[in-house]
Amino acid sequence: MKLAILDDYQGIAPSHFSHLDRITITSFPSTLNPSIPAEQDKLIERLLPFDIILAMRERTPFSRETLSRLPNLKLLLTTGTRNRALDSAYCAERGIPVAGTETRPPGVNSTVQHTWALILALARHVARDDAAVKRGGWQGSLGTTLGGKTLGLVGLGKLGAAVGRIAIVAFGMEVIAWSANLTQESADERAEALGLEKGSFTVVEKREFFGRADVVSLHYVLSQRSRGVVGRDELAAMKRDALLVNTSRGGLVDEEALLEVLNNGGIQGAALDVFEPEPLPVDSPWRTTPWGHDGRSEVILTPHMGYGDEQIHGWYDEVAANVERWLNGEGLHCLL
């Protein structure tokens, strides 16, 4: 049996599978984007010999078209409790089991922690001031105090609500929320589940939301319906001193519109952990633009590290255990 490990940028996975001497393991740390025909052909060529494929979250999508060209595939694995980039319905038609992982470390979720790291870094100019001190400079403009400001949450699921709770408890912020089907009743239920009072999360209509928020943080599922949900109109409605933080999915924001706003200094700054495509191309304007200079907004970029902490080791241990079960003819855990 042959196992392909995909998109393990830091080379973490192989050691977790080394005890499985019944399979041959090959790791492919470089991502190929199957939405580009030439890269899809290379991906098919790469994966054609493999019986088992392990995907790292949604870094490499597996559509029906891609999967149909992999006749040797017998088991598809992914890290995480869900992966919307896998066509599990087609796998079911083919009789290919699809399994994920269940590891959830205790305490505050990794993405929630990273969201607050980015909010604080942007509000307090951490990256800019660090660079200034290292090149011999000193203080620039003053930092932003979060207390009393308004945090706007695009999406109030578990992650968004957890970010909102910290805003209230730790910083004394007002929290408003918007999503396509969000009601005040469901927002109150979220608040009470986190030990907050009813009304802690105030649901407002979309245009008012973007006009009121001092910090906008995205926590929304990407779908065809939600793609570009933060577009030109929403960005234009934001305050000039507002901050935008995205640790969810790059496609939620109209990239062209955001680049235009930031190049014109239309908001104070943006902190982005997610992009389309990923990894970010070397010649991407996100990498090459001198952000924070000549009237441009301040921009902080991180390489999709919202979930990039120690829990990845636990995920790979779970996947390895699932592979061993499958080889032994036993039932898989966390079937998707």
Side-chain angles (χ1 to χ4, degrees):
M1 289 287 176
K2 296 180 180 180
L3 164 65
I5 299 174
L6 303 187
D7 308 321
D8 176 21
Y9 301 146
Q10 299 183 48
I12 294 170
S15 63
H16 295 269
F17 296 84
S18 59
H19 64 288
L20 299 175
D21 53 10
R22 287 178 284 172
I23 59 174
T24 301
I25 300 168
T26 307
S27 185
F28 298 100
S30 60
T31 300
L32 293 171
N33 183 355
S35 67
I36 302 171
E39 291 197 20
Q40 185 186 41
D41 291 341
K42 289 180 182 178
L43 180 66
I44 299 303
E45 183 181 358
R46 170 186 284 183
L47 298 180
L48 194 58
F50 291 92
D51 308 278
I52 309 168
I53 295 173
L54 166 57
M56 166 48 83
R57 296 299 296 267
E58 291 135 5
R59 291 176 181 175
T60 297
F62 281 90
S63 65
R64 174 181 292 260
E65 181 184 359
T66 298
L67 290 165
S68 67
R69 296 172 63 186
L70 297 172
N72 297 315
L73 181 62
K74 300 176 180 67
L75 175 63
L76 182 59
L77 302 163
T78 181
T79 53
T81 56
R82 67 180 181 183
N83 188 334
R84 294 176 181 271
L86 309 181
D87 191 334
S88 54
Y90 175 75
C91 288
E93 291 177 19
R94 285 258 309 266
I96 300 169
V98 182
T101 57
E102 300 171 305
T103 297
R104 292 181 181 273
V108 178
N109 177 278
S110 174
T111 302
V112 174
Q113 293 183 52
H114 198 71
T115 297
W116 275 104
L118 292 180
I119 292 172
L120 290 167
L122 195 57
R124 307 303 301 186
H125 308 298
V126 172
R128 187 197 65 190
D129 288 350
D130 170 75
V133 171
K134 287 175 179 175
R135 65 173 178 263
W138 198 233
Q139 294 185 2
S141 58
L142 299 175
T144 297
T145 297
L146 295 175
K149 296 291 198 307
T150 298
L151 172 66
L153 299 170
V154 178
L156 195 65
K158 289 182 179 179
L159 298 184
V163 170
R165 181 182 182 277
I166 292 170
I168 293 167
V169 174
F171 296 100
M173 298 181 76
E174 178 187 1
V175 176
I176 60 176
W178 174 88
S179 71
N181 300 307
L182 183 63
T183 65
Q184 189 60 55
E185 182 182 5
S186 60
D188 288 342
E189 290 173 358
R190 283 287 186 199
E192 290 184 309
L194 292 172
L196 301 172
E197 296 179 356
K198 281 186 177 181
S200 294
F201 304 142
T202 303
V203 179
V204 298
E205 60 89 21
K206 194 176 186 184
R207 184 165 184 82
E208 179 189 353
F209 171 91
F210 282 96
R212 282 178 57 183
D214 297 294
V215 180
V216 172
S217 185
L218 277 68
H219 305 279
Y220 215 53
V221 173
L222 179 63
S223 65
Q224 287 305 114
R225 184 179 176 187
S226 65
R227 182 170 293 278
V229 71
V230 180
R232 199 170 300 276
D233 290 344
E234 290 76 22
L235 294 168
M238 291 178 68
K239 300 176 182 178
R240 198 166 182 84
D241 59 355
L243 308 175
L244 176 71
V245 177
N246 189 3
T247 56
S248 188
R249 292 292 182 268
L252 293 170
V253 183
D254 181 333
E255 182 181 64
E256 182 179 343
L258 181 57
L259 282 166
E260 183 178 320
V261 166
L262 296 172
N263 270 301
N264 293 328
I267 60 175
Q268 182 174 309
L272 309 175
D273 185 49
V274 287
F275 310 89
E276 283 196 342
E278 293 181 3
L280 200 59
V282 175
D283 61 352
S284 166
W286 293 115
R287 293 184 188 261
T288 59
T289 304
W291 299 113
H293 299 279
D294 301 320
R296 298 181 186 88
S297 304
E298 189 170 348
V299 173
I300 293 176
L301 309 174
T302 54
H304 204 151
M305 295 300 292
Y307 64 89
D309 63 11
E310 299 96 324
Q311 72 179 355
I312 289 178
H313 288 285
W315 285 346
Y316 284 137
D317 282 338
E318 280 190 73
V319 173
N322 250 347
V323 171
E324 191 162 22
R325 288 188 196 96
W326 185 76
L327 291 171
N328 292 335
E330 300 169 0
L332 295 169
H333 289 183
C334 198
L335 283 166
L336 302 183

